[in-house]
Amino acid sequence: MKIQYASYQDTIDFLQQSMSEHPHLIRLQSIGETWEGRPIMLVTVSLDVTYADDKPALLYTGSIHAREWIGNELAIKFIQYVIDNYRFNPKLQTALTRNTLYMVPCLNPDGFEYSRNHFSFWRKNRRNNGDGSFGVDLNRNFDAKFMRNQNTQSNTYGGPHAFSEPETSAIRDFVENHDNIRIALDYHSQGNVFFPAHKFNHEVEIEGTDLNVLCANMNNEIKKVTGRQYGIHRGKPPAQLIHGSGREYYYRKGIIATVVEVGTRNIPDYMKNMAQSVAENIPAVAYALSEAINYSPLAPSRVTQFTIKHVGHDNVELEWEYQERDDIYFEVYRSEHNKAPCTEENLVAITKSLSFVDAQLKSGHFYFYNIRAVDKVTKIKSPFSPELRLKTTLADNQCGRTLFPAREHVGYLSQNYLSKNKEHFGYNSMFIGVDKNRGVSIGVVAFDLSTIPDGSHIETAQLFLYPMNRVAAKIEKYGEWSISILDASLIDDIYDFAKIHDAKPLHTLGQTIESDKMTQGIWLRWALNGVERTLLESLLGQKTLLLRIQGPQTLPIGNDSQVMQFDIGYGTFGSGLHYRPNLELIYQLPELASTVSASSCNTIYQDKVVADKLSSGFDADGEIVYGQLAFELNECFDPQRTVFTSACLTLYSTNSLSSAKDVRFTVELVELKDVDFKHVKQRQKIEYIGYEVSNEQLKERTAHNFIFDSYSLKELARLHKAQTPLYFIIRATAESQARNALVNWRDCQDEQPAQLHVEYIERRIEALPAPTHLQTQVENGVVKLTWLNTDSSDLVGSFVVRNRFHPPRSPFDGVKLYGGQDQYTLDNFGNADIAKYYAVFSYDHVPNYSQPTVIYYPGRAES
């Protein structure tokens, strides 16, 4: 027994005293009786509690597993927090005025007391099974895919039938009689992770974003208190999901439900660890309580058809549908990673419009958008529309790659499993850290860099790993996980533990992940800094990036494990393609350079044109004299495969002005219909090139460089694509009328004529045509897609994505199914009974993605 923890009787006594002292706030009742005759106590908290059942409610259940004492302890401390703060805390007052909290501190009183007094590791209730064994796992006893298990000795024995136990039937009856329950939190230990509910089909659901955002926003409250980051993980495909849990029972009834796994031990050091866990979860529960009304009939309806209208390299346009209502506005949230909170910090728009343009974005980057409607009078918010995921396009000068390791190049090596280490590659998971069985374990990931040309400039590099289970990281705030770059040329066997473990790193990435920031179910991202990207550039010649992932390598006395498990996307229990470690690169190909001389030049007076001479300024009568020159680029550069990265026009002056007047010379990129004074004067100006040149500068030097800015480069590309000559006008300006102020520039016939210097890369500019003949059919219970690839030597492959809610308009607008040169794929992780949209995109080496070819799959009727 741990005397700091409350007993079940202590809990009842506290609740009874709280009700007697705050009868307008707290109501206490028994909703049933256990096998051993203990009451199952439920406390109702609301302002005014008389009307509690008329308000949207949050249901809190704790300690359904006997040894997981956090649920009961947090409930007591939360009630005390409410008592101490509701009179003056405006957020708490609003939450309690609008919503109701139903709290069952301990749903397993018999097991809880048995754990406290007899066998601390006890999990089940205390049913006498009649065969010498005791107990049913109450969280396997609900009628939600209940699975019969004859092994009564098992810790997960679910009982003779669903709701066979007085504890589960009591909470069932209460829920059935309270349709005002909108959110359910089921508190467990251990793992520091949220487990949102699921519907056993492992496809995106309409409530999926609601679940993730609720957990992410609770996570945000936790982080404010201790800095700790919980994971958010919905579990594996249907075959590996648990059956008969309360979470799924609530969710099936339309309640937003999640399990919260707290801490790294069931019964931790109270003052050091349990007190932290309680403190960080109090504001999280308070936040969840405030959200109940937003999932009630009082809330506005959910935004529909939230989708992408346009994606550019630095902006996106989103659109959506909603019925005409003057009392509604919309909140739009943006994040750069998955399962992010939606708070004031990432609220990017409040609008009444049905569209939104988000600008100043980074090219080639992922963005996640969420939206909800808000009643401007009541401030009640709608549930979330399904989250939009997109990737901005690459800038004109960029290329991108998403690199995945081959099966034989991703795995882990263990100190104590030397003979079996090669078997750990391409099989299920990486275990990284230290435990008593494996000893030290390190991860190995090798990426093939051969598709990135040597000499490329790496602009951004991000490594992604998916942590799938942190239960074996059992020590709070102990150890860090980091990634080192090794010299692949010095290691002849990546399956040799000693060679990898003892290798001296070329560099260890600056970002390390502390144990209490190590989540599960949320992608970890290492963004390489400038030094690290330069090192990566130097490895392009080796064609391999070899990474070692390491965690803690020693254990404090009395501890047996500090290990993180990462998905590798291979093997029987790997989660497939979209859970593999990956390296996201944005790079620029090696630049080429060329210098082009002017093809023609003219001096244009009011009454004449002097060919093959280049002068500008003012004549004897003070009339302006223009210099004009042209360049032909089409013979030098392929308009379909040339991206100009920089350009500079160089002019050489042969004299300066004797006048003291301030005369300056500018260069304009223009469009001309004809080369005469009339058309030059009526020219269509495109942009000024560089900066003006003063007479003082003419005296100082003869060479003058006019550098193209971003807009000028864009116009240069447009004119080149249209196969139009580049026309430039040299124009003089003066502070007052000037006469006889003529500057001569070297013309086309001189040894050093006007020149256009360009730097460029060669890559395809336009996207390919879309695939054709997209069809679906069901084979062996799985949706099979077939299509025809476009006929082009530039085709790298086709990219397939599915979306349950709208036609995908971006290759990243949904779940990726396939990327490659085949003309078919199987939706192995989908549910053939569910309607959805599929889209196929062609892509090239850049990659540019085509417009989508979309098909609606209506779903298959269940047999």
Side-chain angles (χ1 to χ4, degrees):
M1 180 191 299
K2 299 276 189 178
I3 62 173
Q4 304 104 313
Y5 289 87
S7 69
Y8 191 60
Q9 188 58 53
D10 292 338
T11 302
I12 294 174
D13 293 344
F14 167 76
L15 294 176
Q16 287 176 334
Q17 181 178 352
S18 298
M19 180 179 67
S20 66
E21 293 176 355
H22 306 276
H24 65 295
L25 178 67
I26 296 172
R27 181 174 70 209
L28 187 62
Q29 68 189 100
S30 171
I31 60 171
E33 192 173 276
T34 67
W35 289 109
E36 295 180 349
R38 292 184 178 86
I40 303 166
M41 303 305 295
L42 181 143
V43 59
T44 301
V45 185
S46 193
L47 283 172
D48 174 348
V49 76
T50 304
Y51 303 101
D53 296 341
D54 298 328
K55 302 176 187 179
L58 166 70
L59 172 66
Y60 173 111
T61 53
S63 300
I64 192 172
H65 289 145
R67 65 193 181 210
E68 299 175 15
W69 297 4
I70 176 64
N72 189 75
E73 205 64 34
L74 174 58
I76 294 171
K77 295 301 190 290
F78 187 80
I79 297 295
Q80 188 64 57
Y81 165 79
V82 170
I83 291 170
D84 293 343
N85 290 275
Y86 80 92
R87 292 183 181 87
F88 60 85
N89 184 320
K91 287 186 177 180
L92 186 58
Q93 284 180 346
T94 301
L96 290 168
T97 300
R98 290 184 159 199
N99 307 279
T100 290
L101 172 65
Y102 296 130
M103 181 172 271
V104 182
C106 179
L107 194 53
N108 184 2
D110 293 349
F112 178 68
E113 283 301 303
Y114 191 78
S115 171
R116 291 185 67 255
N117 293 297
H118 299 287
F119 183 67
S120 64
F121 205 61
W122 190 255
R123 172 183 170 99
K124 301 185 285 184
N125 73 350
R126 293 297 295 166
R127 165 197 269 274
N128 186 340
N129 292 320
D131 59 0
S133 70
F134 285 82
V136 166
D137 182 344
L138 297 177
N139 206 39
R140 301 296 185 274
N141 188 242
F142 288 81
D143 183 17
K145 292 278 185 179
F146 175 80
M147 181 176 290
R148 190 174 301 279
N149 176 1
Q150 301 300 327
N151 182 8
T152 58
Q153 301 281 352
S154 169
N155 257 342
T156 57
Y157 170 56
H161 57 82
F163 295 121
S164 61
E165 306 310 293
E167 297 90 346
T168 54
S169 59
I171 196 66
R172 174 200 62 193
D173 293 345
F174 183 83
V175 171
E176 295 284 350
N177 291 317
H178 290 79
D179 61 5
N180 60 324
I181 297 173
R182 312 314 306 168
I183 296 175
L185 304 180
D186 188 18
Y187 269 84
H188 292 245
S189 60
Q190 56 181 318
N192 287 337
V193 60
F194 293 91
F195 285 125
H198 48 72
K199 293 182 179 176
F200 296 95
N201 59 47
H202 209 64
E203 285 210 29
V204 179
E205 295 145 9
I206 192 71
E207 307 91 352
T209 298
D210 298 320
L211 286 163
N212 282 339
V213 173
L214 173 70
C215 296
N217 283 2
M218 291 177 67
N219 212 350
N220 193 55
E221 297 298 322
I222 289 168
K223 191 175 181 181
K224 289 178 186 177
V225 178
T226 60
R228 188 174 283 111
Q229 182 88 353
Y230 281 32
I232 303 172
H233 191 52
R234 296 191 74 198
K236 288 287 200 165
Q240 287 84 47
L241 295 174
I242 66 170
H243 293 70
S245 80
R247 170 188 61 182
E248 272 65 59
Y249 167 71
Y250 306 134
Y251 190 39
R252 193 182 67 193
K253 295 186 66 63
I255 298 169
I256 300 299
T258 185
V259 159
V260 190
E261 297 275 3
V262 180
T264 57
R265 289 183 180 271
N266 296 129
I267 309 168
D269 180 320
Y270 192 97
M271 296 179 68
K272 182 178 180 181
N273 301 129
M274 178 60 85
Q276 277 192 5
S277 293
V278 168
E280 68 191 8
N281 274 282
I282 283 175
V285 175
Y287 167 78
L289 174 62
S290 72
E291 279 289 298
I293 196 169
N294 295 330
Y295 295 97
S296 74
L298 299 172
S301 59
R302 195 188 308 267
V303 172
T304 59
Q305 294 301 309
F306 182 45
T307 188
I308 304 163
K309 186 174 184 180
H310 167 75
V311 180
H313 75 274
D314 62 358
N315 68 89
V316 300
E317 184 173 4
L318 312 177
E319 60 183 1
W320 55 91
E321 295 178 2
Y322 209 81
Q323 70 266 33
E324 189 71 30
R325 282 182 58 177
D326 290 336
D327 60 340
I328 291 292
Y329 63 86
F330 307 99
E331 293 180 345
V332 182
Y333 300 85
R334 178 192 71 215
S335 178
E336 292 186 41
H337 58 88
N338 70 321
K339 299 177 184 176
C342 292
T343 64
E344 285 293 327
E345 285 73 19
N346 65 331
L347 177 63
V348 293
I350 296 175
T351 179
K352 281 189 65 65
S353 173
L354 296 179
S355 64
F356 167 62
V357 175
D358 197 11
Q360 305 304 321
L361 303 178
K362 293 179 284 188
S363 59
H365 277 67
F366 286 106
Y367 291 96
F368 300 81
Y369 288 91
N370 287 299
I371 190 171
R372 67 196 315 187
V374 184
D375 186 310
K376 69 179 183 182
V377 177
T378 66
K379 301 299 187 250
I380 300 174
K381 302 180 181 184
S382 75
F384 283 91
S385 183
E387 183 173 74
L388 269 185
R389 178 176 182 260
L390 57 85
K391 191 178 187 182
T392 49
T393 60
L394 297 164
D396 290 342
N397 66 312
Q398 293 174 329
C399 292
R401 286 288 183 277
T402 303
L403 301 179
F404 298 93
R407 180 189 291 267
E408 64 273 17
H409 291 155
V410 57
Y412 74 99
L413 305 170
S414 289
Q415 182 181 23
N416 296 340
Y417 292 165
L418 299 181
S419 63
K420 294 191 173 186
N421 275 335
K422 190 170 182 179
E423 299 173 15
H424 299 155
F425 280 70
Y427 184 72
N428 296 342
S429 305
M430 285 190 292
F431 294 90
I432 300 171
V434 58
D435 66 9
K436 64 179 182 180
N437 294 322
R438 299 181 184 89
V440 172
S441 294
I442 50 180
V444 179
V445 183
F447 292 100
D448 180 359
L449 301 178
S450 61
T451 59
I452 315 297
D454 195 9
S456 295
H457 171 60
I458 307 294
E459 295 188 4
T460 67
Q462 299 181 90
L463 175 70
F464 292 86
L465 291 178
Y466 189 79
M468 61 179 294
N469 197 327
R470 60 153 294 141
V471 169
K474 295 183 178 181
I475 312 170
E476 295 275 12
K477 294 189 176 183
Y478 178 78
E480 298 181 347
W481 281 256
S482 61
I483 297 179
S484 295
I485 301 174
L486 306 184
D487 188 340
S489 67
L490 300 180
I491 297 174
D492 58 6
D493 184 2
I494 66 169
Y495 308 121
D496 187 309
F497 174 83
K499 288 182 178 179
I500 295 292
H501 181 269
D502 298 339
K504 184 178 180 180
L506 293 172
H507 181 82
T508 295
L509 303 188
Q511 177 188 356
T512 63
I513 308 294
E514 299 168 331
S515 62
D516 57 331
K517 308 294 192 306
M518 185 65 76
T519 66
Q520 72 185 72
I522 302 176
W523 282 94
L524 291 177
R525 176 177 59 180
W526 280 262
L528 276 62
N529 62 32
V531 172
E532 294 159 352
R533 295 195 302 273
T534 299
L535 174 58
L536 181 57
E537 290 174 3
S538 73
L539 295 175
L540 293 177
Q542 290 189 15
K543 307 301 182 187
T544 301
L545 173 65
L546 180 60
L547 302 177
R548 181 183 68 204
I549 309 166
Q550 55 259 331
Q553 302 202 4
T554 60
L555 287 168
I557 189 169
N559 292 273
D560 62 4
S561 176
Q562 192 72 343
V563 171
M564 272 302 304
Q565 182 181 359
F566 295 89
D567 202 334
I568 65 171
Y570 294 106
T572 307
F573 299 103
S575 296
L577 173 65
H578 44 282
Y579 289 97
R580 285 178 196 157
N582 61 87
L583 182 66
E584 281 277 340
L585 299 177
I586 298 175
Y587 61 96
Q588 182 175 296
L589 293 168
E591 284 186 323
L592 304 173
S594 184
T595 299
V596 181
S597 297
S599 58
S600 65
C601 54
N602 298 282
T603 301
I604 303 172
Y605 293 85
Q606 193 170 20
D607 57 351
K608 63 181 178 180
V609 174
V610 179
D612 299 327
K613 295 293 181 184
L614 191 60
S615 302
S616 60
F618 299 95
D619 64 13
D621 297 323
E623 296 292 339
I624 191 166
V625 177
Y626 296 102
Q628 179 268 327
L629 63 162
F631 293 85
E632 300 278 356
L633 299 183
N634 295 327
E635 293 182 3
C636 308
F637 312 102
D638 181 352
Q640 301 302 319
R641 295 180 179 274
T642 304
V643 176
F644 296 105
T645 56
S646 66
C648 175
L649 175 64
T650 302
L651 300 179
Y652 298 91
S653 58
T654 61
N655 68 304
S656 60
L657 303 177
S658 58
S659 169
K661 285 186 177 294
D662 188 5
V663 179
R664 294 171 179 262
F665 297 85
T666 61
V667 175
E668 300 172 4
L669 177 62
V670 301
E671 292 191 44
L672 282 179
K673 292 183 179 179
D674 206 350
V675 181
D676 58 35
F677 191 86
K678 174 185 175 183
H679 286 95
V680 168
K681 193 169 185 179
Q682 296 174 350
R683 67 195 178 278
Q684 181 178 341
K685 301 175 186 176
I686 297 175
E687 180 61 292
Y688 290 100
I689 304 300
Y691 294 94
E692 60 190 17
V693 173
S694 67
N695 191 40
E696 290 301 315
Q697 291 168 318
L698 292 172
K699 294 176 182 178
E700 292 172 359
R701 59 183 182 271
T702 59
H704 307 279
N705 295 314
F706 299 83
I707 299 173
F708 286 58
D709 63 12
S710 300
Y711 181 74
S712 302
L713 272 178
K714 184 177 178 181
E715 289 300 299
L716 170 61
R718 178 181 67 82
L719 294 169
H720 178 52
K721 182 180 177 182
Q723 301 187 37
T724 300
L726 302 179
Y727 293 108
F728 295 92
I729 294 295
I730 308 170
R731 180 174 70 96
T733 60
E735 57 182 346
S736 59
Q737 189 175 35
R739 301 176 188 274
N740 293 317
L742 204 63
V743 169
N744 299 316
W745 310 89
R746 289 180 183 169
D747 55 44
C748 300
Q749 311 304 318
D750 286 329
E751 290 185 5
Q752 204 170 27
Q755 294 177 323
L756 181 64
H757 310 277
V758 294
E759 292 186 345
Y760 62 99
I761 58 175
E762 293 181 342
R763 49 148 269 193
R764 185 182 173 92
I765 295 175
E766 298 291 340
L768 293 164
T772 58
H773 297 84
L774 176 59
Q775 296 180 332
T776 62
Q777 63 186 79
V778 178
E779 289 186 1
N780 300 318
V782 175
V783 178
K784 179 178 182 179
L785 294 95
T786 59
W787 63 89
L788 294 180
N789 287 332
T790 186
D791 184 15
S792 171
S793 59
D794 287 333
L795 178 72
V796 172
S798 291
F799 196 101
V800 186
V801 64
R802 77 160 183 249
N803 191 306
R804 281 195 62 191
F805 307 109
H806 58 257
R809 297 183 181 177
S810 155
F812 308 95
D813 183 15
V815 177
K816 177 183 177 182
L817 302 182
Y818 174 76
Q821 293 190 340
D822 289 337
Q823 298 184 104
Y824 76 95
T825 194
L826 300 175
D827 188 3
N828 288 311
F829 287 94
N831 187 326
D833 297 326
I834 295 176
K836 66 205 80 176
Y837 296 89
Y838 293 101
V840 185
F841 301 78
S842 301
Y843 64 96
D844 58 23
H845 285 281
V846 173
N848 296 303
Y849 291 94
S850 72
Q851 290 298 308
T853 297
V854 178
I855 191 169
Y856 175 70
Y857 171 76
R860 181 188 63 177
E862 291 193 43
S863 58

